[in-house]
Amino acid sequence: MGQKLDYLRKYNKNIRLLTIDEIDKISVDLIPSNWRELFKERNVRKRIDLLLDIWKKYKATELRNTISYLSEHLENIEIMEVDNLYSILYTIKNSKGKYLYYEGRNPQDKFENEELEKSWNNIPDSIRSFYENIHNGFYYYASESMGLVPFESVTYLGDEDLDWDIIDDLKESIQIDLETSFGFFSNGMGDYIAIDYKNCKNDNATFWSAKIQPKYNINFWNYVDEWIVIGFE
């Protein structure tokens, strides 16, 4: 526990890992009721299974590879608290024996992204379902990447402060409207899986990059599922 906390506090010195008894004392409106119930289970394996049941309820098909990997390699889940904000810490031991820490934010978090909040009802139901029922982002803790980022870090591609030099080098006309596009998945190196809500039928998405030619008409969940598993390895 001490080594884990030392590692976590490299990135946020105020983090606490809560005991089950402390979780019981959290105000009822601050975490989802299903989190409260699953953390009453003192057997870690059963607790993990209960959490993965939530994933399966909402994303059994779209994130089937991610769920399968977590079922095999997830060793522990705990609630983290920073300044009265709560999230779930996933401790994963990957196939190479390396420990990885992933954070799943609280689906009850408030929006910290004005552009996204204004457009939220236009975002595909399947994406809103993840954020509203499972996690407000699920990502590699140390870099806040290789996963679905939290509201505050969803990239609005139309942001005037972003410099998309790639546009000058496109081999074909741009096929998305940056003003209606958001990057929900980030690999931490300037690459995104983005949704243009004017053209997102059947979870149609775009691989958008600051450096590489875009790929259009990809399936959002197929790419997200594959890239999350790549991140685990």
Side-chain angles (χ1 to χ4, degrees):
M1 176 67 80
Q3 286 183 331
K4 182 188 293 188
L5 274 173
D6 288 344
Y7 173 81
L8 298 174
R9 286 173 177 164
K10 287 181 183 179
Y11 306 96
N12 193 317
K13 64 181 181 180
N14 296 322
I15 275 183
R16 293 197 312 124
L17 295 177
L18 304 187
T19 66
I20 291 177
D21 291 336
E22 287 176 313
I23 293 167
D24 254 351
K25 296 173 184 175
I26 300 172
S27 298
V28 293
D29 58 335
L30 293 182
I31 62 172
S33 58
N34 53 17
W35 284 20
R36 194 177 302 280
E37 290 304 311
L38 72 90
F39 277 100
K40 286 181 180 178
E41 174 56 64
R42 293 183 178 266
N43 181 281
V44 174
R45 186 65 249 176
K46 290 181 180 177
R47 194 187 313 152
I48 288 171
D49 290 342
L50 288 170
L51 179 57
L52 294 181
D53 283 345
I54 299 172
W55 284 68
K56 292 172 186 175
K57 179 178 179 180
Y58 295 100
K59 286 286 164 278
T61 301
E62 295 97 325
L63 292 175
R64 56 189 174 277
N65 295 314
T66 299
I67 293 169
S68 177
Y69 196 100
L70 290 174
S71 296
E72 184 175 352
H73 296 280
L74 183 56
E75 293 211 340
N76 198 6
I77 55 171
E78 298 158 279
I79 286 192
M80 295 194 298
E81 182 267 329
V82 182
D83 302 326
N84 287 324
L85 294 176
Y86 300 92
S87 58
I88 293 181
L89 178 72
Y90 289 65
T91 299
I92 299 164
K93 186 177 182 181
N94 72 9
S95 61
K96 300 179 179 70
K98 180 181 179 181
Y99 281 96
L100 307 172
Y101 301 105
Y102 274 67
E103 181 174 7
R105 290 271 195 98
N106 187 344
Q108 295 182 182
D109 284 345
K110 295 179 180 178
F111 272 95
E112 296 290 344
N113 187 322
E114 183 179 351
E115 288 295 338
L116 181 62
E117 185 173 14
K118 289 190 297 187
S119 304
W120 189 239
N121 289 335
N122 297 313
I123 301 300
D125 290 346
S126 68
I127 296 175
R128 288 191 287 121
S129 174
F130 182 91
Y131 279 83
E132 293 172 357
N133 295 292
I134 304 177
H135 287 303
N136 167 28
F138 173 78
Y139 48 82
Y140 181 53
Y141 169 82
S143 62
E144 199 178 287
S145 65
M146 287 311 290
L148 293 163
V149 296
F151 289 142
E152 65 197 54
S153 300
V154 172
T155 300
Y156 173 49
L157 301 191
D159 188 337
E160 294 179 354
D161 293 332
L162 296 176
D163 188 8
W164 301 118
D165 289 338
I166 187 67
I167 292 176
D168 296 329
D169 299 322
L170 293 180
K171 297 177 181 178
E172 56 185 345
S173 298
I174 189 169
Q175 296 178 29
I176 60 173
D177 185 346
L178 298 182
E179 299 297 321
T180 54
S181 297
F182 294 88
F184 285 93
F185 184 103
S186 169
N187 68 357
M189 296 182 288
D191 302 331
Y192 306 91
I193 301 174
I195 287 285
D196 177 356
Y197 66 71
K198 286 184 178 177
N199 180 23
C200 60
K201 188 176 181 180
N202 298 321
D203 297 320
N204 184 55
T206 296
F207 167 80
W208 183 259
S209 174
K211 315 177 287 294
I212 304 170
Q213 295 290 313
K215 295 179 184 177
Y216 301 107
N217 302 314
I218 64 173
N219 180 273
F220 180 85
W221 290 109
N222 287 351
Y223 269 68
V224 167
D225 193 28
E226 180 180 355
W227 276 19
I228 289 176
V229 174
I230 288 172
F232 290 153
E233 288 298 301

